[in-house]
Amino acid sequence: MARLFARPPWPPAIVWVPALAVAAAVLLPPVYLFVRAASDGSSAADALFRLRILEILGRTLVLVIAVSVGSVILAVPLAWLTVRTDLPFRKFWAVLTALPLVIPSYVGGFIVVLVLGPRGMLQGLLENLFGVDRLPDINGFAGAMLTLTLLSYPYVLLTVRAGLLRLDPALEESSRGLGHNAWSTFFRVILRQLRPAIAGGALLAALYTLSDFGAVSLLRYETFTSAIFVQYGSALDRTLGAAMSLVLVALALSLVAGEAFTRGGARYYTTGTGVSRPISEVKLGRWLWPSLAFCGIVVSAALLLPMSILGYWVYRGVAAGEPLLFQWNTVRNSLTVSGLAAGATVAVALPVAVMSVRYLGLFSTVLERVTYIGFALPGISIALGLVFFGVNYAPPIYQTTGMLIFAYVVLFLSPAVGAARTSLLQVSPRMEEAARGLGSTPLRVFTSVTLPLVLPGILSGAALVFLLTMKELPATLILSPIGFTTLATSIWAAASEAFFARAAAPALLLILASSVPLGFLMLRERR
Amino acid sequence: MPSFAVLGMLAISCLVAACGGSSGSNTLTIYSGRSESLVAPIIQQFGESSGANVLVKYADTPQLAATLLEEGERTPADVFFAQDPGGLGAVEHMLSQLPEDLLSLAPEWAKSPSGRWIGLSGRARTVVYNTENLTEADLPDDIFDFVDSKWRGRIGWAPTNASFQTMVSAMRGIWGDDKTRQWIEGIKDNEPKAYPKNTPIVAAAASGEIDVGFVNHYYLHRFLAEEGEGFQARNYHPRAGGPGSIIMVAGAGVLSSSDNEVLAQRFLKFLLSPPAQSYFARETFEYPLISGIPAQGGQVPISEFAHPDVPVAVLADLETTQALLRSTGILP
């Protein structure tokens, strides 16, 4: 049987050539880090041993696991509610629940401290009502986990939504037909089918947590990335910064391997004949109000609260006569580079996803895994790597928009690959084989059969890359053309000097500007 | 897929073609580790008065220093405008010797001994305190005395911050390494809260999350400007002077790879001119480095509080300071 459907031994050039180019691109930063760390290898090694490295690794892993689990717990119900049920205003909720992704973590972290700090806004409220003088300290693990979970559950949400949209309802119907109720069907059938999507999303949340600096530094929880920032920051030690970044790469690759392990060798496509019909809606009935309350609470905490505080700062600034110059140029820059980054990233992600799903082998496995390196490294490590290669080997494009887009592709390739590959896993190769049997060329099969079927995944990947680029800061600062400003750099410029009113206006604009393309994507989704 | 890929590639190549780097002789490229919200207006003023086309890249000082080190001779930058001497020191070998008529504008303590960079504005270390729980009279004469156990759980600091580390360098210069170590360990025993930088310390002092914090002086003035006089924190310059109230500088240097050194030096000279110096006093609440410019906005003029003279070379020795901070477990 297996031999009958044996895969072609090597993919066509249109797949492997771009895939190889992608692999070369994503390996540039780690190669740079290796060169830098090796330039003074023995002192870097000494320093690594001197660091309480195991302790920091332990703290980092605990946070990473907690944030991933928390994100799955929030995101899976949200995804199911907004895709498969009769929840009112589903698309509206879908957009609102995805938007917290775009809030920069240094803004989110600052707001969490402001609201939940020992003497924060909540304490002020409780003091007036009940005379509470001081709240337990949110700083440290609890605060970092809360902030990062609220900022990174959308990774799981977007990948799981894409998975749900492609799920064949026949499986559920069989389960119901066999006498399982809705709950049992959800846990036994839907959740199992969604395993790759959940694991893929959780991996993104984990890697985001691994690379985050803003939230962990403001909430005072030391992680590996914050230790790296100390090296690149006041310590001005590029060698140790590079050596530590390499350790982070190793950690990230083991997380990626762990995800691949949970994914296993299972099949996630329909093997039977027939086509999947439009998905039937689950009636929420008496669960309607609790479901609405759940969506409402998540949206309030992760989106409305930060937006109200930002709005209040803008209002207070305007009332105090602060000039609010809306720089449309900056908004346009943000939208342009984010759109280009999203387009370029999903374009190069496709061959990688095709390789890793349809041409399974050592090369495609290694290829898929290395794409995650960019997402797990702090932006500064990637940026300096690209400075090194750009200035020495590609001076004409150094500090151009093209170089910046290239950096975004390296940084955000994995979310796009993950989303595309999850969708591709749900497409049966039998369909492609049938089309090929009817005389179509492989390329034509891909564009007319496979591509339409994986479109939801590609679009959700594009949405992720778009939102991530909108808020990207370290690489944008270093690699952009001189004088180029985005909303993220404007927020940073004002916030770093405690000009809250001036920081709040671009932060609100960032959220609003992101919601437009996100809303458009969600409205186009097939149901 | 091909249409996607082709579109993406096309877009990239168009952009590359359109935005290729250019550097005319009248173009000045600045890497600024000082924030755009603070220095953009004065840089723009230079552009207007000189007729030069001024391009600025803004990022954090250490990250720009690392970028410069990676770029080496090929850097497009003409000027490095840094937040602190540490950043300038890291790239000192890439900077060119400044002419005497420029160097003579700033006092001796505010420039590099090698003459490769010059201070442009001054900032003081202070103690920020919560005005609801404390008055100035409650605060010790010298920063050393915060090792007293009555300050347990009440202190905020930012050990990874460059200005904090510069203060520790000053402690080493004034007190010697042993007493400095005693101070670090004494503060550590008082379980201080470690913040990533100055701004959240000032906010935490005002909210009462901490009672005192070790910061630079000007952040308070920005909060006061935004939140009004009701903001519950103020600065205290330790009465006895000492390392707790040193004056540090933000400064700049000219890259030796620059093909535009004359324009670059004119820019530095402009920043030390009276209009630019009073801009710093008025808008960024920093101390002017030339005489005859009054302090502004409720700050205590430099001449009215005790502060020690510490040689720049001592302040710039970050390496030994960081080794000390690491050996006491303060830095990773």
Side-chain angles (χ1 to χ4, degrees):
Chain A
M1 178 83 179
R3 207 173 310 140
L4 258 181
F5 293 103
R7 296 184 188 89
W10 191 248
I14 191 151
V15 173
W16 75 261
V17 173
L20 196 67
V22 170
V26 296
L27 284 174
L28 289 179
V31 165
Y32 155 78
L33 293 170
F34 187 77
V35 169
R36 198 43 78 227
S39 67
D40 191 3
S42 61
S43 86
D46 284 352
L48 278 183
F49 282 110
R50 187 189 62 223
L51 289 167
R52 299 159 286 127
I53 211 160
L54 285 179
E55 187 200 323
I56 304 179
L57 274 178
R59 293 170 64 83
T60 307
L61 269 180
V62 169
L63 183 68
V64 162
I65 292 167
V67 170
S68 315
V69 171
S71 298
V72 169
I73 290 172
L74 286 185
V76 173
L78 285 175
W80 187 72
L81 284 170
T82 56
V83 173
R84 301 299 287 270
T85 70
D86 63 347
L87 186 80
F89 311 111
R90 260 185 326 243
K91 299 253 153 129
F92 171 75
W93 288 114
V95 174
L96 290 191
T97 48
L99 268 179
L101 188 75
V102 82
I103 300 175
S105 72
Y106 51 90
V107 173
F110 194 87
I111 287 173
V112 166
V113 174
L114 190 81
V115 175
L116 297 178
R119 302 271 294 170
M121 286 164 62
L122 181 64
Q123 179 272 332
L125 190 71
L126 293 175
E127 182 158 24
N128 290 336
L129 294 175
F130 310 107
V132 177
D133 178 46
R134 184 173 273 267
L135 289 179
D137 201 344
I138 185 81
N139 289 296
F141 178 75
M145 181 198 158
L146 177 73
T147 312
L148 284 166
T149 304
L150 290 180
L151 295 177
S152 47
Y153 79 81
Y155 297 111
V156 189
L157 180 70
L158 287 174
T159 39
V160 172
R161 274 182 65 86
L164 274 171
L165 284 165
R166 287 288 316 137
L167 207 59
D168 188 343
L171 286 165
E172 288 162 59
E173 281 156 19
S174 318
S175 160
R176 296 301 291 270
L178 289 168
H180 291 291
N181 65 16
W183 285 106
S184 158
T185 302
F186 179 77
F187 284 104
R188 285 164 162 271
V189 178
I190 301 185
L191 218 48
R192 281 198 195 178
Q193 285 293 309
L194 285 178
R195 212 167 67 172
I198 294 173
L203 179 65
L204 292 181
L207 297 180
Y208 180 77
T209 304
L210 207 55
S211 69
D212 174 71
F213 173 67
V216 294
S217 68
L218 284 167
L219 287 145
R220 310 208 315 265
Y221 185 82
E222 188 186 30
T223 65
F224 217 76
T225 291
S226 55
I228 290 175
F229 264 83
V230 170
Q231 305 313 323
Y232 282 124
S234 56
L236 288 162
D237 189 339
R238 285 178 302 154
T239 313
L240 187 50
M244 293 179 69
S245 301
L246 284 175
V247 178
L248 198 63
V249 169
L251 186 62
L253 288 178
S254 31
L255 286 176
V256 173
E259 188 254 355
F261 181 74
T262 68
R263 203 195 279 159
R267 268 191 329 228
Y268 296 97
Y269 49 81
T270 314
T271 45
T273 52
V275 289
S276 56
R277 279 166 295 104
I279 299 156
S280 58
E281 234 171 45
V282 175
K283 299 267 179 281
L284 283 170
R286 65 199 163 93
W287 288 96
L288 176 67
W289 289 106
S291 307
L292 276 175
F294 178 66
C295 294
I297 289 170
V298 174
V299 168
S300 305
L303 186 68
L304 295 185
L305 183 71
M307 283 185 75
S308 324
I309 289 172
L310 294 171
Y312 169 68
W313 278 335
V314 173
Y315 160 78
R316 199 178 56 180
V318 171
E322 177 98 25
L324 283 181
L325 302 169
F326 282 114
Q327 306 233 326
W328 294 117
N329 186 22
T330 305
V331 179
R332 204 185 53 225
N333 282 349
S334 275
L335 291 173
T336 310
V337 292
S338 304
L340 286 172
T345 310
V346 293
V348 303
L350 259 179
V352 179
V354 170
M355 282 286 290
S356 85
V357 174
R358 290 287 184 262
Y359 303 96
L360 206 60
L362 183 64
F363 173 65
S364 62
T365 307
V366 171
L367 172 68
E368 194 227 340
R369 297 201 181 163
V370 295
T371 60
Y372 284 93
I373 293 175
F375 196 59
L377 276 173
I380 179 70
S381 311
I382 302 273
L384 287 177
L386 295 182
V387 167
F388 175 79
F389 283 105
V391 86
N392 287 313
Y393 304 102
I397 66 154
Y398 185 59
Q399 288 185 355
T400 61
T401 313
M403 174 101 179
L404 188 61
I405 304 289
F406 182 82
Y408 293 142
V409 172
V410 171
L411 277 163
F412 303 135
L413 189 58
S414 58
V417 170
R421 101 180 277 293
T422 313
S423 293
L424 207 52
L425 278 171
Q426 290 173 322
V427 176
S428 165
R430 308 289 171 274
M431 262 199 254
E432 296 169 359
E433 280 155 21
R436 217 170 298 156
L438 292 169
S440 296
T441 61
L443 187 60
R444 192 164 151 64
V445 172
F446 186 80
T447 52
S448 60
V449 177
T450 318
L451 198 57
L453 289 171
V454 296
L455 204 60
I458 292 174
L459 289 180
S460 85
L464 273 168
V465 176
F466 182 87
L467 297 178
L468 283 162
T469 310
M470 286 292 282
K471 69 172 175 180
E472 206 288 331
L473 185 63
T476 309
L477 285 176
I478 290 183
L479 294 170
S480 63
I482 290 177
F484 187 85
T485 54
T486 65
L487 287 168
T489 65
S490 308
I491 299 169
W492 166 82
S496 62
E497 300 297 335
F499 294 118
F500 299 120
R502 279 188 234 168
L508 272 180
L509 268 180
L510 178 65
I511 298 172
L512 295 175
S514 307
S515 65
V516 175
L518 195 63
F520 176 72
L521 267 179
M522 296 280 180
L523 291 176
R524 287 205 37 177
E525 255 175 14
R526 254 171 16 123
R527 280 201 23 89
Chain B
M1 195 253 342
S3 56
F4 266 107
V6 168
L7 259 176
M9 301 297 158
L10 251 173
I12 291 180
S13 48
C14 291
L15 282 162
V16 170
C19 311
S22 69
S23 88
S25 62
N26 201 32
T27 298
L28 185 70
T29 303
I30 301 168
Y31 277 11
S32 174
R34 304 217 50 195
S35 169
E36 182 171 8
S37 47
L38 297 181
V39 298
I42 197 70
I43 292 178
Q44 194 188 345
Q45 216 170 309
F46 173 74
E48 280 160 14
S49 68
S50 67
N53 174 28
V54 185
L55 301 172
V56 196
K57 174 172 275 303
Y58 293 99
D60 286 327
T61 297
Q63 303 184 353
L64 283 177
T67 304
L68 282 169
L69 290 172
E70 292 302 347
E71 290 174 338
E73 289 285 296
R74 295 176 193 245
T75 180
D78 298 305
V79 172
F80 182 28
F81 190 2
Q83 180 90 275
D84 49 74
L88 289 162
V91 297
E92 190 145 358
H93 62 281
M94 293 176 66
L95 303 176
S96 64
Q97 183 79 37
L98 296 172
E100 199 45 48
D101 62 325
L102 174 55
L103 287 171
S104 65
L105 293 172
E108 208 52 49
W109 57 268
K111 57 199 170 200
S112 143
S114 70
R116 288 169 189 262
W117 58 262
I118 187 163
L120 299 170
S121 56
R123 48 267 303 271
R125 288 298 292 182
T126 65
V127 177
V128 66
Y129 66 96
N130 177 285
T131 51
E132 210 180 359
N133 301 338
L134 293 168
T135 64
E136 269 202 21
D138 301 319
L139 296 162
D141 291 350
D142 192 293
I143 196 168
F144 187 86
D145 300 320
F146 283 105
V147 299
D148 192 306
S149 60
K150 76 174 175 193
W151 296 104
R152 179 156 302 188
R154 300 168 70 187
I155 301 174
W157 68 358
T160 60
N161 177 271
S163 302
F164 172 85
Q165 295 178 4
T166 305
M167 177 178 76
V168 176
S169 299
M171 290 177 169
R172 291 179 37 243
I174 297 170
W175 294 342
D177 284 3
D178 288 343
K179 188 172 170 186
T180 305
R181 180 183 289 273
Q182 275 175 34
W183 182 80
I184 295 170
E185 276 167 357
I187 298 291
K188 196 178 155 193
D189 289 343
N190 279 340
E191 294 156 15
K193 298 202 164 93
Y195 294 85
K197 52 187 186 173
N198 286 309
T199 320
I201 299 187
V202 178
S207 77
E209 188 178 319
I210 50 173
D211 281 339
V212 292
F214 308 139
V215 293
N216 292 356
H217 79 279
Y218 45 88
Y219 292 97
L220 173 74
H221 299 288
R222 294 183 198 149
F223 274 96
L224 288 174
E226 203 158 294
E227 310 246 347
E229 292 296 313
F231 189 69
Q232 289 179 324
R234 287 296 182 275
N235 281 341
Y236 163 66
H237 299 278
R239 261 166 242 113
S245 56
I246 50 156
I247 311 283
M248 307 170 301
V249 291
V254 175
L255 275 301
S256 48
S257 55
S258 163
D259 51 10
N260 223 341
E261 273 186 71
V262 177
L263 186 61
Q265 288 165 3
R266 258 175 70 200
F267 173 63
L268 301 196
K269 215 171 276 178
F270 168 78
L271 290 180
L272 283 164
S273 69
Q277 289 286 298
S278 57
Y279 169 88
F280 284 127
R282 202 174 57 239
E283 301 292 331
T284 71
F285 305 105
E286 288 171 291
Y287 293 114
L289 293 182
I290 63 174
S291 50
I293 312 284
Q296 309 256 344
Q299 2 170 273
V300 186
I302 291 192
S303 54
E304 287 176 25
F305 62 89
H307 59 91
D309 270 337
V310 188
V312 184
V314 172
L315 293 185
D317 178 20
L318 273 183
E319 226 173 301
T320 321
T321 298
Q322 286 172 354
L324 179 65
L325 289 169
R326 276 195 284 261
S327 73
T328 46
I330 301 299
L331 282 187

